[in-house]
Amino acid sequence: MTKRYGAAVAVDELSFQVRPGQVTGFLGPNGAGKSTTMRVIMGLCRPTSGYGLIDGRPYPELERPLRQVGAFLEAKAVHPGRSVYHHLAGLAKSNRIPESRVNETLALVGLQTVARKRAAGLSLGMAQRLGLAAALLGNPPVLLLDEPVNGLDPEGILWIRGLIRRLADEGRTILVSSHLMSEMALTASHLIVIGRGRLLADTTIDDFIARNSRSFVRIRTPEQERVRDVLTAAGVEARRGPDGAIEVVGASLEQVGELIGRHHVTVHEVSMRSASLEEAFMQLTADSVEYRDDAGPAFPAGRMG
Ligand code: ADP
């Protein structure tokens, strides 16, 4: 699908499918087009071209939308005077969901104790839980969660990670967005990475880690130039690290150590390092280079795409 706002392209010929039974992370820096994509799938904004399908059908064609897909997008407006319970009960009624689901859902998100409180007076963390409760009310097999950990305290973040994984283990199709690689590494087993509205990667988290956590040898030395000359003469690629240390890619610790020993240069440190996943992700999205999982498996049709 493509979505333009005037001349600006928010989503650029993006195409992917999401499979059931696992958490699919939707990763991209702020402004990459994640929310827009989710809003198109949920029928909240019209794509310029293309479409988003849930279980093979566009959102407006779903017969019982709340039972087929749950979405946690931006904080929804709640009726200021209504209690948490009545907010959900109203939603249940208008969607012909049995009222018994309200208490079940409140228990699921840990809001039983505030069921009688005014929805508008909730703390941010509690309001997030209420938003999730609304998404889960219809017990839907497909869930779209846009940055669900944003604004939560550490305990809330742990709780939501556990909940998301449990929901996936139950066989649901879950697309959860984040602008943090570290968050995705903890919850997702599959990754869709986008940058400037374009698809950058569609791959398993393990494959993404294997491809992107390139290790390098770090050298700290008072003889920068000599070390560089020695490395260059040996045909080894060296670059300058963020703190001024020399970073060598494509050579082992042993090879670098032997080179340095043979040329009697002084070094203060020679060590093996791994670029963090967060760095790999930032590099990938900053460059916005084409990164396609050409060696990866062909994915069978998902329930959402
Ligand atoms: P993300 O969710 O990844 O942070 P968004 O989907 O919110 O990204 O935004 C994608 C791009 O589209 C951004 O450049 C944003 O400024 C732009 N955008 C989003 N919504 C609108 C809108 N209603 N009008 C104009 N531009 C928008």
Side-chain angles (χ1 to χ4, degrees), residues 5 8-11 28-37 146-147 177 194:
Y5 290 107
V9 185
V11 179
N30 285 324
K34 304 180 297 295
S35 300
T36 304
T37 303
D146 195 8
E147 302 266 6
S177 79
I194 65 169

Side-chain angles (χ1 to χ4, degrees), residues 57 60 70 183 228 238 268 275 278 285:
R57 293 163 70 193
E183 186 55 39
R228 278 180 181 277
H268 293 161
E278 205 72 54
T285 50

